[in-house]
Amino acid sequence: ATFLDETAPLLDIAGLQDLTINLPSAGGNQAFNVITNPPSWSVTSDQDWCGAEKDIDGVLKISAGLNMKPASPEAATVTVTAGDAQPVEITVTQDAYLPPVGTAKGIYVAGTEDIDGGSHAVLWKYKDGGVTRQQLGVKPYSSANSVYIYGNNVYVGGHDYYGEPGNNWGTATVWKNGEPIIQENPEGAVPYSRVNSIRVINNKVYAAGYYSPSFGSSRACVWVDGILDASLLNESQKTDAKFIDISEDGKMHILGSGQTSSVTKYWINGVSQSGYQFDNVYAKGLWVDGNDVHIIGNVPGGGNDISRYWKNGVLQTLESASVRSIPLYDIYIRDGDVYITGHSLYIWKNGIRIDAGAYMKHIAVSEDGTIYSVKKVGSVPTLHVDNVPVALTADGAGGEANDIFIVE
């Protein structure tokens, strides 16, 4: 007869026979029971992106955060040890980030249009030389501030009015394919909030803006899938999150204003960052390219020292002796090339001035180098295709063009 020696050291991971785990690019965790007859066990991971821990219930948890890189990280080895038992090594991999390929081709512009005596949130789409319009705002004085396309889904961030007639309290809203999703408001806060900027990663919607704890106050915040994220909820009042982007390492970057609009604040995962000369600067743009952070802003008050452009906290130079006296408007990065617009007849590409023939505000650049920009001509929101104007509204109706997104 054969007998099992119950005194021999034993270490096994229940339900993990081949000792391999793959986690999605969106991140997540898996939990396993550890079977062992030594009194205790421990665990380590040899890669920073891969977390491994023994929780309070004695369960093994293996986790990873968001991976925004177009390649999988180096495989991690998670090692579980228990006394004299043979250590168990688990190979952990994570998927690369592959954005969905959509068919919603075109140039999308979010903004407002003057309709029946009031401005309404709208989304314009330019394709094959023609413009179509989708009205989003239910009531006057709504606004569409940011647009982002993910796969075949079109997301627009802004605010709309849901109260009684005459009620001018706007509520933060994200429209998905035209359907409004009201963003969470904290209990006790007044119904006055805004979405200024949105990003969509792995079907998760990040929206930056503010809510109002009381009348006359605002507090910077981020919503994730419509729910308030806790990262900025301890910020002081009179703050506003104006721009949001996600870096390849999964960190959430937010640019906004502090106690006054001329005090810029920059947060990473809700933690305020220092090292930037942000006093007396208006925040104008944020773009995260890989893990490189690009920020633009303007110093108020005129004079010859207005424009600011930082890359990873280092102030950069833009060509032209007079550039420092030109307010900047927007930043856009395509295939590593950095485009910056300002109140001038030229733009900057990688710091070099390019004559544009007319000033551009918000821009997007196609793969073939065509520059699309939006601004107002008179009171009419207008798309420029390599400086050829295309009116977005009919019959000279006024409005605002607040953001642009290109899908090729």
Side-chain angles (χ1 to χ4, degrees), residues 286-344:
L286 164 73
W287 195 288
V288 180
D289 185 35
N291 289 322
D292 291 327
V293 180
H294 302 256
I295 292 173
I296 61 171
N298 296 318
V299 176
N304 295 317
D305 194 19
I306 293 177
S307 60
R308 296 287 187 275
Y309 164 42
W310 293 269
K311 179 181 178 181
N312 297 328
V314 179
L315 194 62
Q316 305 293 302
T317 300
L318 300 177
E319 184 186 45
S320 174
S322 62
V323 66
R324 298 296 292 275
S325 64
I326 297 172
L328 302 181
Y329 281 145
D330 196 14
I331 183 168
Y332 186 91
I333 299 180
R334 177 70 188 247
D335 297 329
D337 291 325
V338 181
Y339 298 82
I340 296 176
T341 66
H343 189 74
S344 67

Side-chain angles (χ1 to χ4, degrees), residues 21-315:
I21 297 172
N22 184 68
L23 297 172
S25 65
N29 64 78
Q30 294 189 26
F32 304 93
N33 290 318
V34 177
I35 302 171
T36 179
N37 61 15
S40 64
W41 58 272
S42 60
V43 60
T44 60
S45 170
D46 68 349
Q47 296 291 331
D48 291 339
W49 66 265
C50 178
E53 64 175 347
K54 178 181 181 181
D55 72 7
I56 59 175
D57 296 319
V59 175
L60 170 63
K61 285 191 174 179
I62 298 175
S63 61
L66 173 66
N67 175 33
M68 284 284 293
K69 297 180 180 180
S72 296
E74 182 180 349
T77 299
V78 171
T79 303
V80 183
T81 57
D84 294 331
Q86 179 69 32
V88 174
E89 291 187 346
I90 304 167
T91 300
V92 185
T93 56
Q94 186 177 23
D95 291 335
Y97 175 65
L98 298 174
V101 177
T103 58
K105 313 299 185 184
I107 311 300
Y108 295 80
V109 179
T112 63
E113 183 171 342
D114 297 338
I115 304 171
D116 297 329
S119 62
H120 289 255
V122 295
L123 177 70
W124 297 284
K125 180 180 179 180
Y126 172 80
K127 184 179 180 182
D128 298 329
V131 177
T132 57
R133 186 197 73 179
Q134 181 180 21
Q135 182 175 330
L136 302 171
V138 176
K139 295 183 178 180
Y141 309 112
S142 57
S143 181
N145 302 323
S146 182
V147 57
Y148 199 92
I149 310 335
Y150 190 81
N152 290 323
N153 293 314
V154 181
Y155 298 85
V156 178
H159 67 273
D160 205 350
Y161 293 83
Y162 302 96
E164 298 298 323
N167 178 358
N168 62 353
W169 301 347
T171 301
T173 302
V174 171
W175 291 270
K176 180 181 179 181
N177 301 325
E179 293 298 319
I181 303 169
I182 298 175
Q183 306 297 283
E184 180 187 26
N185 212 33
E187 185 175 353
V190 299
Y192 187 71
S193 53
R194 297 284 188 275
V195 171
N196 296 319
S197 177
I198 58 174
R199 289 291 184 271
V200 184
I201 306 297
N202 285 308
N203 292 308
K204 191 179 293 292
V205 183
Y206 300 83
Y210 69 84
Y211 72 92
S212 300
S214 60
F215 289 108
S217 67
S218 64
R219 182 166 292 171
C221 66
V222 172
W223 294 272
V224 180
D225 288 337
I227 305 301
L228 273 171
D229 185 81
S231 61
L232 291 180
L233 291 185
N234 292 324
E235 277 296 322
S236 59
Q237 295 188 22
K238 295 291 185 182
T239 53
D240 186 4
K242 297 181 180 296
F243 306 95
I244 187 168
D245 209 347
I246 311 297
S247 53
E248 281 189 348
D249 56 12
K251 293 178 181 177
M252 184 167 56
H253 299 257
I254 305 158
L255 186 71
S257 59
Q259 294 297 317
T260 67
S261 59
S262 61
V263 175
T264 290
K265 295 201 69 172
Y266 168 46
W267 300 270
I268 299 178
N269 290 340
V271 178
S272 182
Q273 303 297 299
S274 60
Y276 290 77
Q277 298 174 0
F278 275 163
D279 290 342
N280 203 36
V281 174
Y282 287 112
K284 297 301 293 183
L286 164 73
W287 195 288
V288 180
D289 185 35
N291 289 322
D292 291 327
V293 180
H294 302 256
I295 292 173
I296 61 171
N298 296 318
V299 176
N304 295 317
D305 194 19
I306 293 177
S307 60
R308 296 287 187 275
Y309 164 42
W310 293 269
K311 179 181 178 181
N312 297 328
V314 179
L315 194 62

Side-chain angles (χ1 to χ4, degrees), residues 360-380:
M360 300 180 177
K361 202 166 185 182
H362 305 293
I363 66 167
V365 182
S366 66
E367 186 175 4
D368 65 5
T370 301
I371 296 177
Y372 298 85
S373 67
V374 290
K375 65 176 183 180
K376 285 204 300 187
V377 176
S379 63
V380 178

